[in-house]
């Protein structure tokens, strides 16, 4: 067989398996051969991975394209940034309401608009998780799964009390929904559960939850203000781990009542992860996945306040302290944490000047998805390379219905790879992220282990710090049948 490309001389990192010295033949964008050795003459093009590791490209399953900037522009710049982190597919959360397209209505009308704004603007492949915000949209869950290629949904536990002004009677102005509460969540879980059961032979269909409790946030913000706290410390105390813990349990109780598969997103603290572990144990028959983020693993708010990063590191849930992040690393080592994501939301410094409560939350991190895990996980804490490939590639692909097309190094899978130099050491900078965001809370963070090439469906997209490919990312319709 003739190949289009061969990846030679590298060590391939297989999720759930380990490191193998072998070579990969690529044809028509798919993996066509995995061999001890493949003769270089059998392809036009050879990627030389001598001295390097060949990982499956990451599936960054928590992303926010278009949240604070025009969708098409954001898709271009932020999917470009994803290439730097070895990401081949992004799964982006999208919803109606404030931010994004700043409107509400039926997804049958709005999603085609999002698709049109996305088309031709991604460097990576992409999918959408959809947050069902209104009662009318509940009736669109079936259409979203069966016609629109959406295999996952979202609910924000703390949006119930969210206002756009000091006037609490305008509570629905943010969500642009009448009853965005636990009742709505129960209805949504019921619909998602029905779809999960109906399509269980094809792929996992699930609901993701942002777990923070709005009533507790209200009183803890009052306390933080009374104590005169400032900066990220005030933010963390105002949205404490207890609020996450309570919210995780509420979500799990409703998941148990409805049978809905759930993903507990961005667990930031000891309390939140422990709550995730506890509800899994309480409801062993239910499908509960646990996610954490790069910044909750690697950053400490006390240090960020000290070194002047301050509110540039504002994010929901807040960045905690080392004590919490070490517990999250333990969770990774013990197998409790399923996925690690960037929760990438491009948010410029201009939006971080409105004080601790008024600045916009979120920042980018997709460009350092592999680097931070390789450096902080493998080099510093002895996490295996295969485990990292599971956390950022195989598990997100499996949890969100993309496996084995993505997140998998086997015959017939998409030829998506991140080639890594484990010895390359340099600080994280905003400029190398190739993002539209003009800062990073990771500025100056020393990292060892960087992606040198990102290959998507056989095409070299990123090569030694430069984008060399085109915006040929395609929308991946889910659920994808296994081995179809
Ligand atoms: Zn998010």
């Amino acid at each position: 067989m003739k190949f289009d490309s061969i990846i030679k001389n590298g060590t391939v990192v297989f999720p759930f398996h380990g490191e193998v010295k072998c070579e990969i033949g690529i044809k028509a964008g798919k993996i066509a051969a995995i061999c001890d050795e493949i003769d270089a003459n059998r392809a036009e093009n050879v990627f030389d991975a001598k001295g390097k590791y060949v990982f499956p490209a990451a599936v960054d399953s928590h992303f926010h394209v278009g949240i604070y900037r025009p969708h098409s522009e954001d898709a271009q710049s932020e999917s470009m940034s994803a290439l730097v982190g070895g990401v081949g597919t992004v799964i982006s959360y999208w919803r109606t309401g404030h931010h994004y397209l700043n409107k509400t209505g039926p997804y049958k009308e709005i999603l085609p608009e999002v698709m049109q704004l996305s088309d031709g603007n991604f460097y990576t492949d992409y999918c959408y998780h959809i947050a069902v915000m209104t009662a009318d949209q509940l009736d669109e869950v079936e259409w979203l799964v069966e016609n629109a290629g959406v295999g996952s949904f979202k609910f924000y536990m703390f949006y119930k009390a969210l206002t756009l002004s000091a006037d609490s009677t305008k509570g629905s102005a943010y969500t642009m929904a009448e009853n965005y509460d636990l009742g709505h969540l129960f209805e949504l879980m019921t619909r998602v559960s029905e779809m999960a059961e109906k399509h269980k032979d094809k792929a996992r269909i699930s609901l993701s939850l942002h777990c923070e409790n709005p009533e507790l946030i209200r009183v803890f913000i009052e306390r933080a203000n009374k104590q005169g706290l400032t900066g990220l410390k005030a933010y963390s105390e105002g949205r404490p781990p207890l609020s996450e813990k309570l919210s995780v349990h509420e979500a799990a109780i409703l998941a148990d009542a409805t049978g809905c598969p759930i993903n507990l997103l961005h667990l930031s603290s000891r309390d939140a992860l422990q709550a995730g572990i506890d509800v899994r144990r309480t409801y062993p028959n239910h499908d509960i996945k646990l996610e954490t983020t790069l910044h909750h693993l690697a950053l400490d708010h006390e240090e960020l306040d000290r070194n002047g990063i301050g509110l540039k590191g504002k994010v929901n849930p807040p960045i905690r302290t080392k004590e919490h992040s070490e517990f999250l690393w333990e969770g990774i080592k013990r197998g409790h944490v399923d996925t690690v994501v960037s929760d990438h939301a491009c948010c410029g410094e201009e939006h971080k000047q409105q004080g601790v409560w008024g600045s916009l939350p979120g920042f980018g991190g997709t460009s350092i998805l592999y680097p931070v895990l390789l450096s902080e996980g493998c080099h510093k804490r002895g996490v295996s390379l295969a485990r990292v490939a599971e956390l950022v590639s195989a598990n997100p692909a499996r949890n969100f219905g993309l496996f084995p097309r993505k997140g998998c190094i086997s015959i017939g899978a998409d030829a998506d790879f991140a080639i890594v130099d484990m010895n390359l050491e340099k600080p994280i900078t905003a400029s190398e992220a190739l993002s539209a965001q003009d800062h990073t809370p990771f500025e100056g963070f020393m990292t060892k282990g960087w992606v040198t090439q990102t290959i998507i469906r056989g095409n070299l997209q990123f090569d030694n710090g430069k984008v060399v490919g085109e915006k040929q990312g395609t929308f991946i319709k889910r659920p994808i049948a296994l081995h179809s």
Side-chain angles (χ1 to χ4, degrees):
M1 185 196 269
K2 266 286 200 186
F3 301 107
D4 299 330
S5 299
I6 300 169
I7 304 179
K8 281 191 72 68
N9 306 318
T11 299
V12 179
V13 181
F14 291 87
F16 312 107
H17 183 82
E19 297 147 37
V20 182
K21 276 291 265 185
C22 62
E23 307 195 330
I24 295 172
I26 300 167
K27 199 172 170 67
K30 305 272 184 192
I31 297 173
I34 302 170
C35 266
D36 292 357
E37 203 179 342
I38 303 176
D39 194 305
N41 296 325
R42 290 177 66 188
E44 292 287 303
N45 177 53
V46 172
F47 298 113
D48 185 5
K50 190 161 195 288
K52 294 181 182 164
Y53 290 88
V54 181
F55 282 81
V59 175
D60 195 349
S61 63
H62 193 154
F63 216 96
H64 294 274
V65 172
I67 181 169
Y68 301 136
R69 302 171 65 237
H71 193 96
S72 299
E73 267 173 55
D74 213 38
Q76 289 184 30
S77 59
E78 304 320 299
S79 67
M80 181 186 283
S81 185
L83 297 177
V84 182
V87 176
T89 306
V90 304
I91 317 181
S92 197
Y93 285 95
W94 205 89
R95 60 163 173 76
T96 54
H98 189 53
H99 298 307
Y100 296 99
L101 293 181
N102 214 14
K103 63 179 179 186
T104 190
Y107 275 116
K108 277 179 191 163
E109 285 169 22
I110 294 178
L111 198 59
E113 189 180 345
V114 177
M115 289 302 161
Q116 206 213 322
L117 293 169
S118 305
D119 193 30
N121 288 315
F122 275 83
Y123 286 90
T124 59
D125 285 345
Y126 59 98
C127 317
Y128 288 103
H129 312 278
I130 291 295
V132 169
M133 307 300 289
T134 68
D136 287 344
Q137 290 169 356
L138 286 169
D139 293 332
E140 296 188 293
V141 168
E142 188 174 352
W143 175 82
L144 284 164
V145 171
E146 297 184 352
N147 301 86
V150 171
S152 44
F153 298 86
K154 184 169 186 182
F155 184 81
Y156 302 75
M157 300 287 278
F158 73 104
Y159 272 12
K160 177 167 59 173
L162 215 55
T163 58
L164 283 177
S165 67
D167 179 359
S168 62
T169 61
K170 291 183 181 160
S172 63
Y174 195 91
T175 56
M176 301 183 192
E178 292 303 314
N179 291 308
Y180 197 79
D181 56 14
L182 292 180
H184 178 74
L185 174 58
F186 180 79
E187 293 285 12
L188 177 55
M189 281 186 169
T190 306
R191 312 298 174 100
V192 174
S193 176
E194 284 166 12
M195 285 294 106
E197 180 60 27
K198 185 171 171 189
H199 296 285
K200 68 180 177 214
D201 295 340
K202 294 196 208 71
R204 179 174 185 265
I205 292 169
S206 62
L207 176 74
S208 296
L209 291 127
H210 181 133
C211 292
E212 287 187 280
N213 177 278
E215 290 94 351
L216 289 181
I217 290 175
R218 176 173 57 78
V219 298
F220 277 94
I221 287 178
E222 280 168 18
R223 286 180 175 207
N225 284 335
K226 261 188 209 137
Q227 289 170 44
L229 299 179
T230 57
L232 292 183
K233 180 167 179 62
Y235 203 62
S236 180
E237 301 275 319
R239 305 175 73 108
L242 177 66
S243 139
E244 292 184 274
K245 179 180 177 178
L246 177 61
S247 191
V248 163
H249 282 275
E250 286 180 326
I253 287 168
L254 294 183
D256 177 47
T258 57
C260 182
I262 58 172
N263 316 298
L264 303 175
L265 301 186
H266 46 46
L267 301 174
S268 76
S269 59
R270 170 188 282 272
D271 314 58
L273 177 56
Q274 187 62 55
I277 295 167
D278 290 345
V279 297
R280 266 185 173 169
R281 195 175 292 139
T282 309
Y283 308 108
N285 297 326
H286 287 304
D287 179 356
I288 301 172
K289 306 292 188 208
L290 308 182
E291 174 194 284
T292 192
T293 73
L294 290 179
H295 43 278
H296 293 117
L297 284 167
L299 298 179
D300 169 355
H301 70 68
E302 288 169 354
E303 209 171 294
L304 295 186
D305 277 340
R306 251 195 324 271
N307 70 17
I309 298 281
L311 296 182
K312 286 183 275 183
K314 174 175 166 174
V315 66
N316 293 333
I319 289 167
R320 309 299 185 185
T321 55
K322 284 211 165 57
E323 184 244 326
H324 291 283
S325 50
E326 285 310 323
F327 189 80
L328 300 178
W329 280 114
E330 269 310 301
I332 281 180
K333 286 191 189 170
R334 289 165 191 260
H336 295 308
V337 173
D338 299 296
T339 57
V340 177
V341 298
S342 69
D343 194 0
H344 188 98
C346 179
C347 183
E349 213 174 330
E350 58 178 313
H351 300 305
K352 302 288 194 184
Q353 313 296 323
Q354 290 75 37
V356 60
W357 311 116
S359 294
L360 291 179
F363 46 75
T366 193
S367 66
I368 49 173
L369 187 53
Y370 261 121
V372 167
L373 280 166
L374 297 171
S375 187
E376 293 293 304
C378 302
H379 283 303
K380 283 197 187 156
R381 293 177 176 83
V383 177
S384 73
L385 301 185
R387 177 80 174 119
V388 167
E390 292 154 25
L391 291 165
V392 301
S393 182
N395 287 344
R398 297 205 307 182
N399 292 356
F400 294 110
L402 289 169
F403 195 83
R405 180 168 168 189
K406 303 290 188 186
C408 185
I409 299 182
S410 69
I411 306 293
D414 281 4
D416 297 356
F417 301 99
I419 299 180
V420 163
D421 180 348
M422 281 300 285
N423 294 315
L424 182 58
E425 192 168 7
K426 56 182 178 177
I428 293 169
T429 63
S431 60
E432 284 198 46
L434 306 183
S435 158
Q437 185 177 287
D438 52 0
H439 69 96
T440 168
F442 287 87
E443 189 72 39
F445 194 100
M446 279 306 293
T447 303
K448 187 175 177 184
W450 285 85
V451 174
T452 54
Q453 279 88 17
T454 303
I455 296 165
I456 302 176
R457 285 179 279 107
N459 299 305
L460 182 65
Q461 292 289 81
F462 174 78
D463 188 20
N464 286 300
K466 290 196 181 63
V467 172
V468 294
E470 303 295 321
K471 290 174 283 184
Q472 53 197 345
T474 57
F475 175 68
I476 311 283
K477 261 189 139 185
R478 296 173 291 151
I480 293 169
L482 293 171
H483 309 296
S484 66

